[in-house]
Amino acid sequence: MDLRQACRTPTRDDAGIELLVSYFQQLGFVENRFFPSSRHMGILFTWYDSFTGVPVSQPNISLEKASILFNISALYTQIGTRCNRQTKTGLEEAVTMFQKAAGVLRYLKETFTHTPSYDMSPAMLGALIRMIMAEAHECYFEKLILSGVQNEFCTLVKVAQEAAKVGEIYLQVFNAMNQPPIKENIPYSWTVMVQVKAEHYKALAHYFVGLILMDHQLTLRDDEDKQEKALSQLYDHIPDGLTAMKILKDKSQRTQLGKAHLSKAIACHEESLRLSGLCSKLKQIDVLQDILSAFHKRALLKYSQHQKADDFLSVLVAPEIISKTEYKAEMISPPLSRVRVIDFFQRLGPLSVFSAKQRWTAPRKVRLILDDGDLGFILKGDCPVQITSLDPLCPASTAGVKEGDYIVSVEGKDCKWSSINEVMDLLKGIDEQGKEIKVISIQDQTSSMHNKSATYSAGMQKTYSLVCLTMDEDKNPKTQKASKKLSFLSWGFRNHQKAASTLCLPSASAPKPQSSRLFLSPYESRECDSAMY
């Protein structure tokens, strides 16, 4: 499956999620191998904003990683919306998926700061997290009433407070979406839908409280203390002149307050119908219109059963309901460490060695020949094996092997992942023809700094190095003073006292170096002559 296609293909299992998580982890290998922080490779990564449609391109692999996280969250929401919400198991799965989606966005918000994409700005991510968690709360409420609501006092109190909580959360989502710069780019249908849900669940809360007050009369078998406590915790404040116990014992007061809640429920249902009618997209969703109309008719029917001719003479305003929930709103972090990943750059070798932190030469072919039964060097390390203690007079050194080289293949067999014992087995049995190996060397990072150093080696007894003292010169050419450049030797002679610690000229009687020296100068083995004088 194409990696980018995975985020657009709905799936009921975690196959697409694991694919994207695997790709996200592979990008970490790519970053370590090819994108060091010290230089840019010039490869552009592009992301098309979901809300603005504006493409964003940067030569930064972090943008691609952030984009994959955003797509993982989007895929979680697709799975959540396609769960069977008519079963308890399906609703529980939907809640889990929405929690995972919110967890991925939270991880994205905390880890990838200053992203150029509008989708991944802190304000937008905050609004999306609120919206996804509101959907999780809504699924929990649906699971609570899935098998029907038991017509019992404390049960109805619990359901009413849960509905009030869902309505309150959707109202918070609407406030977050209504803030600039989110307001200008969020789809209008989203904003209206959030308002519709906020009014709908607020209406449900008032409807259930109306049922509590009108259908349940306090009897001798009821627990007065339990009902009084539940009713007192239902309201932020009870209307003046009333107490929880008085409402429970006075039938007329209960009926009046219950009808006030039903009247509030009808008003909220009408508001949700009005808001949905303002949006052309929501008007086309027949299921939504049917649900809103059914709940509105149910509230009207219940109110009409207790309506009297003199109701307008005693109008009581329904107090606000305290929202309360038993659902723990927890965001689940993405499973970035629980998905097994195989580095698709494994053939390049171990990441600890073959990473972008090092600059490597191209593999060099060297034919190894025994010299008195000895190769002339020692192997150390594992994966890959490194050459050490190289005899400068051995055939391997003459053929081009250098101290510190890594063996990457023997007789055409890749051995970057081979242990030292495996490489030694491959090198056994060398005949007169020898065996061909490939070695690589670490490029000297300071080779490009020849303008700041000078090296002299021309038949001298030793190699002499002089570090220039003008490393911190003014970079502005207009402020630099013109000075006559002296040659290396003349500088040393004229400044003999100053250069005594860094330059020591050979004596005239010094013998010429013999070719049988045990260790050659590291400067004499350089392939690049641009740094030599």
Side-chain angles (χ1 to χ4, degrees), residues 140-161:
Y140 175 79
F141 178 79
E142 291 180 5
K143 188 184 75 170
L144 190 66
I145 63 174
L146 180 63
S147 57
V149 180
Q150 185 179 358
N151 195 7
E152 191 266 333
F153 189 91
C154 293
T155 303
L156 290 174
V157 170
K158 177 183 176 181
V159 173
Q161 289 185 315

Side-chain angles (χ1 to χ4, degrees), residues 266 296-306:
I266 293 171
H296 179 233
K297 292 177 181 178
R298 186 181 68 170
L300 284 173
L301 178 61
K302 189 64 179 179
Y303 184 84
S304 63
Q305 292 175 358
H306 299 272

Side-chain angles (χ1 to χ4, degrees), residues 459-462 464 505-513:
M460 291 187 175
Q461 184 178 5
K462 298 180 180 180
Y464 303 92
L505 296 177
S507 60
S509 60
K512 294 184 179 181

